[in-house]
């Protein structure tokens, strides 16, 4: 039986929405056992189904917690959820808590994978015909060229997990020519080309991400974070401009009504809830970060993502891929 | 009389569209004298109005020219246009040629302003209620904290020129807290805070740019380039998704027709041609970079931008602002 721990106290709408999402997931997936990690209050007047286990701890982390502080507060729901993975009690953990705190717990409690320089936050990004994987999306803001290669390797395994066959890889840069960027990008370019050969499509620019020019966009976390957040802002600007102008006259308002199905499809395409959660990859277990503002639907999907990750053996696939890179670069490990 | 040089051979649609835009501008603004810098071929069978001067040179630069190569080809239309500024024959230059080449010519032919570490490509970015200025948008991919302060100072002068009173400044970063980013951002944060005081709003994230949280977004060119290009890609994704779904059924198609005025307003908001051209600031003269794919309308607007820059004394305003920073930091220069 697959086992997943869920942090009941992580997220803007914790604990109510987290619990609701977990219970609805537990109802639909009887082949999964959920470990609900919460404080005593969370379980008052709640009757749990058979495949849900109560894990009561003493502490929980506020949403603005610092990573170092998160590692000190060992009795928190987040820390203890991660510890369940470390101790092989569960196969995966889901949390909508603070990103930096979860990364710290993933890295130091669940534990970094052998030969991995930095775990990465790999995020699916909508493109014209589907999506691509952005790795890293903000977990590591200053990395080495070899780390960027590892992001590429992990990103490819993630893309395969998402159903993309033979993923194409690109390096986020300020131009497409080989000599673009700082020394770091230039060296990473060589490493990526050497490793991925024909599947490395070279440098890509910001406008190539949403166009789906490649399936895996390799970036240091600073660049990945700027790209991901800028997308969010631009999408919001466009929606806001449309909305405010639609209200200005009745003809447009009728037009908007007729276009409702189109707008719904656009919304669905851009909706992060559809993906539910994203993996921290490069650690010894499945760690799913759900959006901070997750409601019950998002939590349901995040748990589904965790379940899929377990079933696809994502962790061991990445382990093997990284071992291959390591061996080809440094000989047997 | 104001004098502007225009590079007839720069841009994807050179020389035809450049010439057409220049002639139409010359017709509307009799108080400006245009120096049309081209090769002999450009002037065949063309009769020029009184306020247009022919400047015939021997060479021109291809659109994929490298900056170093651009500086060697001294007989090119771009180089010679910039030289006219350097020699005070004209007050401004407009080119739709290669960005890196124009930056090189602006810096080394027109000449870097005193005390300026790096000239910057400052670009107006659409926001909910207007626009903000992004400095740097890709000219300098690896800069010092003090350079970021200068980008802020130049960005503020640019924002004032664009009509923004008392511009608010933000630093593009991966989070809003003061300690975010690498050492470079942390030091730049201190310098910006010290200089702009209450007008420095602290760190901003990618999603804050289009939301108009600040009037001037300070960024190193790598980050600025990623943000600007990502916006372009996201806007294109949204337009593509809307278009392809509208075609799928007749109801949506009718809706789209009724919403035409709304879509036009959105397009206008996002259209880079409206801004026409952007300044390279921090050099001893007005240098306007028009989009590489400029048509006659874009060139007309770019020339208008140059004219406005001359009339507002943009160059001397920046000179003075930078002198003030220099004096307050290092004593009299």
């Amino acid at each position: 039986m697959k086992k997943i721990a869920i942090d009941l106290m992580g997220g803007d709408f914790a604990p109510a929405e987290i619990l609701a999402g977990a219970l609805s997931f537990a109802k639909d997936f009887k082949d999964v056992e959920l470990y609900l990690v919460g404080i005593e209050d969370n379980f008052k007047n709640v009757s749990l189904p058979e495949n849900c286990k109560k894990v009561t701890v003493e502490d929980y982390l506020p949403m603005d917690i610092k990573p170092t502080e998160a590692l000190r507060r060992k009795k928190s729901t987040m820390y203890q959820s991660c510890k369940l993975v470390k101790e092989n009690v569960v196969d995966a953990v889901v949390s909508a808590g603070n990103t930096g705190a979860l990364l710290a717990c993933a890295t130091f409690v669940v534990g970094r994978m052998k030969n991995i320089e930095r775990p990465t936050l790999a995020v699916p990004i909508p493109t014209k015909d589907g999506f691509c994987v952005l790795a890293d999306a903000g977990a590591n803001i200053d990395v080495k060229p070899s780390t960027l290669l590892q992001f590429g390797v992990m990103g490819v395994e993630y893309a395969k997990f998402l159903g993309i066959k033979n993923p194409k890889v690109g390096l986020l840069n300020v131009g497409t020519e080989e000599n673009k960027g700082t020394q770091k990008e230039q060296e990473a370019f060589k490493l990526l080309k050497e490793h991925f050969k024909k599947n490395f499509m070279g440098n890509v620019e910001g406008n190539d991400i949403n166009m789906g020019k490649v399936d895996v966009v390799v970036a240091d976390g600073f660049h990945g974070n700027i790209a991901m957040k800028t997308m969010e802002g631009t999408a919001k600007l466009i929606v806001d401009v449309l909305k405010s102008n639609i209200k200005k006259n009745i003809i447009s308002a009728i037009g908007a009504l007729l276009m409702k199905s189109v707008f719904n499809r656009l919304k669905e395409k851009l909706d992060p809830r559809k993906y539910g959660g994203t993996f921290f990859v490069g650690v010894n277990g499945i760690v799913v970060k759900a959006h901070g503002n997750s409601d019950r639907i998002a939590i349901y999907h995040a748990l589904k993502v965790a379940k899929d990750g377990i079933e696809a053996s994502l962790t061991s696939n990445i382990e093997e891929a990284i071992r291959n890179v390591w061996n080809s670069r440094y000989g047997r490990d």
Side-chain angles (χ1 to χ4, degrees), chain A:
Chain A
M1 201 169 190
K2 288 170 282 285
K3 291 169 181 178
I4 305 174
I6 170 113
D7 168 10
L8 289 185
M9 292 302 291
D12 300 333
F13 303 118
E17 289 294 312
I18 315 294
L19 186 62
L23 292 179
S24 129
F25 179 85
K27 209 177 119 195
D28 287 358
F29 297 95
K30 298 287 183 205
D31 60 330
V32 177
E33 190 167 31
L34 286 189
Y35 284 63
L36 309 180
V37 186
I39 53 172
E40 213 173 326
D41 243 23
N42 301 155
F43 303 110
K44 265 185 194 156
N45 306 320
V46 177
S47 70
L48 297 179
E50 241 185 26
N51 60 335
C52 281
K53 255 187 136 83
K54 215 191 292 184
V55 182
T56 312
V57 302
E58 288 168 30
D59 190 18
Y60 64 92
L61 306 177
M63 283 306 277
D64 60 351
I65 187 99
K66 294 217 165 136
T68 46
E69 179 70 11
L71 290 177
R72 269 196 293 270
R73 286 166 70 167
K74 300 190 178 177
K75 292 177 176 174
S76 74
T77 53
M78 185 191 281
Y79 194 103
Q80 288 299 321
S81 301
C82 288
K83 214 175 158 200
L84 291 174
V85 181
K86 169 69 179 173
E87 291 168 348
N88 288 318
V89 177
V90 299
D91 310 296
V93 54
V94 172
S95 175
N98 177 288
T99 307
L102 186 60
L103 177 65
C105 289
T107 308
F108 297 106
V109 182
V110 176
R112 185 159 52 194
M113 213 177 254
K114 192 177 175 187
N115 295 335
I116 282 284
E117 294 171 12
R118 302 279 187 91
T120 177
L121 180 60
V123 173
I125 301 283
T127 63
K128 257 167 100 169
D129 308 308
F131 45 80
C132 64
V133 170
L134 175 64
D136 181 269
N140 308 282
I141 61 163
D142 198 8
V143 298
K144 293 185 292 181
S146 56
T147 319
L148 289 169
L149 170 61
Q150 293 197 341
F151 289 170
V153 172
M154 293 190 274
V156 162
E157 291 309 313
Y158 191 6
K160 283 183 193 164
F161 161 74
L162 290 170
I164 300 172
K165 278 173 193 145
N166 200 26
K168 304 268 179 283
V169 179
L171 174 65
L172 187 59
N173 208 329
V174 292
T176 52
E177 301 87 344
E178 181 164 351
N179 63 348
K180 283 286 174 178
T182 66
Q183 205 185 340
K184 181 166 75 182
E185 283 77 29
Q186 289 165 16
E187 282 175 28
F189 186 102
K190 281 181 203 142
L191 293 177
L192 288 161
K193 193 174 174 182
E194 200 181 295
H195 181 75
F196 289 110
K197 301 191 173 69
K198 279 192 179 164
N199 278 345
F200 179 57
M201 312 308 285
N203 291 322
V204 295
E205 297 185 79
N207 51 331
D208 296 323
I209 307 174
N210 284 132
M211 288 298 103
K213 196 176 171 186
V214 294
D215 305 304
V216 175
V217 176
V218 175
D220 90 19
F222 208 128
H223 303 160
N225 178 284
I226 288 177
M228 198 178 60
K229 297 237 169 112
T230 300
M231 281 171 207
E232 202 184 307
T234 303
K236 192 158 178 352
L237 171 70
I238 293 176
V239 170
D240 285 356
V241 171
L242 285 176
K243 271 189 185 162
S244 72
N245 280 301
I246 285 166
K247 283 183 195 148
K248 279 183 189 158
N249 79 66
I250 183 78
I251 305 282
S252 314
I254 294 169
L257 212 61
L258 297 178
M259 278 187 69
K260 204 163 180 237
S261 70
V262 174
F263 286 130
N264 283 343
R265 239 163 292 159
L266 177 66
K267 202 178 153 193
E268 197 187 306
K269 177 121 206 146
L270 301 176
D271 189 359
R273 292 194 312 178
K274 210 183 69 180
Y275 305 108
T278 52
F279 294 102
F280 276 125
V281 287
V283 293
N284 293 315
I286 304 279
V287 178
V288 174
K289 164 79 180 94
H291 263 254
N293 63 359
S294 289
D295 57 12
R296 61 190 70 195
I297 299 170
I299 292 297
Y300 180 98
H301 283 291
L303 285 162
K304 181 74 173 49
V305 164
K307 175 179 179 285
D308 293 344
I310 299 169
E311 284 168 358
S313 312
L314 182 62
T315 308
S316 56
N317 291 349
I318 289 175
E319 226 163 24
E320 198 187 318
I322 287 290
R323 196 184 304 126
N324 288 340
V325 180
W326 192 266
N327 290 346
S328 73
R329 294 192 65 209
Y330 306 106
R332 291 269 137 215
D333 66 342

